[in-house]
Amino acid sequence: NLQGLLLVLFLASRVWAAADIRQFAAEFDTLNERQKEQLREVANELRCPTCTGLSILDSDAPFSLQMRSAALAQVKQGSILQ
């Protein structure tokens, strides 16, 4: 049944997104205060490509979660400077 398959895929995507959010939160907690502020500033400026008017920090869309994780990695590496 196609509807059942689509429902399963949708629910699985929500579970994966929740896992990504938990992983991001755990990584965020390892940052120092300066890095957290840098990440907040960058993530608030970047817009979610799938949500209207939301920053990647405010959006839970899968692509925004990927962008948020990439920004976090760059902050940890020192690639994002103020």
Side-chain angles (χ1 to χ4, degrees), residues 34-48 55-57 67-68 70-72 74-75 79-82:
R34 182 170 179 260
Q35 290 172 319
K36 287 178 182 179
E37 185 58 32
Q38 287 177 329
L39 181 60
R40 283 187 203 105
E41 288 179 13
V42 169
N44 277 323
E45 290 180 22
L46 295 172
R47 296 286 154 221
C48 172
S55 71
I56 64 168
L57 198 55
M67 291 173 65
R68 198 182 314 164
L72 185 140
Q74 289 185 7
V75 165
S79 300
I80 296 177
L81 302 175
Q82 302 269 242

Side-chain angles (χ1 to χ4, degrees), residues 5-23:
L5 177 61
L6 291 174
L7 179 61
V8 168
L9 290 174
F10 172 75
L11 293 174
S13 72
R14 300 312 303 167
V15 169
W16 289 321
D20 288 343
I21 291 169
R22 284 190 300 273
Q23 181 179 352

